[in-house]
Each structure stands twice: as structure tokens, then as C-alpha cells.
Amino acid sequence: MTMRSFIHIACLASAGVLLIACNSTSVRVGGAPEASVKNCVGAAARELKVPAASVVVDSGTTPRDGIYTINLKVGPQGRSVVCTTDENSAVLGVVYKRPQ
């Protein structure tokens, strides 16, 4: 094996490690873990009796440690919905937001 081949293999291995590290972190919306976001989309679809494809993640916040609030837009009108989850990504509630 030549030095050039060794460097090439080392670079590929490093890139693979970086890619794995980037993919292993959760996608977060306003601090909420990916599991919370997915669970909220599913719960909103079930609770509001709409297709999951019509539920769009808008934003999220972490008002307290371990509690996540995820704002969703539902349906063609984009009605605002709030979903809350606990630290284990269990959905605590899904409610329509009052219009402002």
C-alpha cells in the first residue's frame, strides 16, 4: 500500500465517522427531540382526524426542562395546533390554538 492510498483511505474513514456522528444526533425543533416531533405529528393526525401529510411542523420551544411544546399547522387552512410532550417524547396533549 502506498502512502497516497493510505491517506485516501484515512480521509474516507474520517468522513464516514463525521457523517455517522452528524446522522446520530436528533433533529431538533425549538429544542424538542426528533421523537417528540414525530409523536406530535402522529398524535395530531389521529386526534384531529386528518392525514399525517397535512400536519406541518412550524416551530417549537422548551418552556421547562423536560417539557417540549411543538407548534403545528394543520390542514389546507394551516390552523395552528400546539402539542406538548414530556422528556420521554410521550405526547401530553394536542390542542388548537386560539386565533389572535
Side-chain angles (χ1 to χ4, degrees):
M1 178 185 293
T2 66
M3 182 61 134
R4 185 177 205 153
S5 296
F6 177 76
I7 292 172
H8 182 71
I9 291 171
C11 286
L12 288 176
S14 296
V17 168
L18 287 174
L19 184 60
I20 290 169
C22 289
N23 286 337
S24 67
T25 58
S26 295
V27 173
R28 292 183 166 298
V29 175
E34 181 179 17
S36 289
V37 175
K38 287 181 179 179
N39 289 348
C40 276
V41 170
R46 283 189 307 277
E47 186 78 20
L48 305 173
K49 296 174 180 46
V50 297
S54 70
V55 179
V56 178
V57 178
D58 186 36
S59 63
T61 60
T62 307
R64 298 188 308 218
D65 287 340
I67 301 294
Y68 303 102
T69 301
I70 298 150
N71 297 307
L72 307 167
K73 299 285 185 186
V74 178
Q77 293 83 20
R79 286 194 63 191
S80 294
V81 173
V82 176
C83 175
T84 55
T85 67
D86 66 11
E87 68 275 2
N88 297 315
S89 299
V91 174
L92 302 173
V94 175
V95 295
Y96 278 113
K97 280 176 84 172
R98 289 174 39 190
Q100 296 185 19

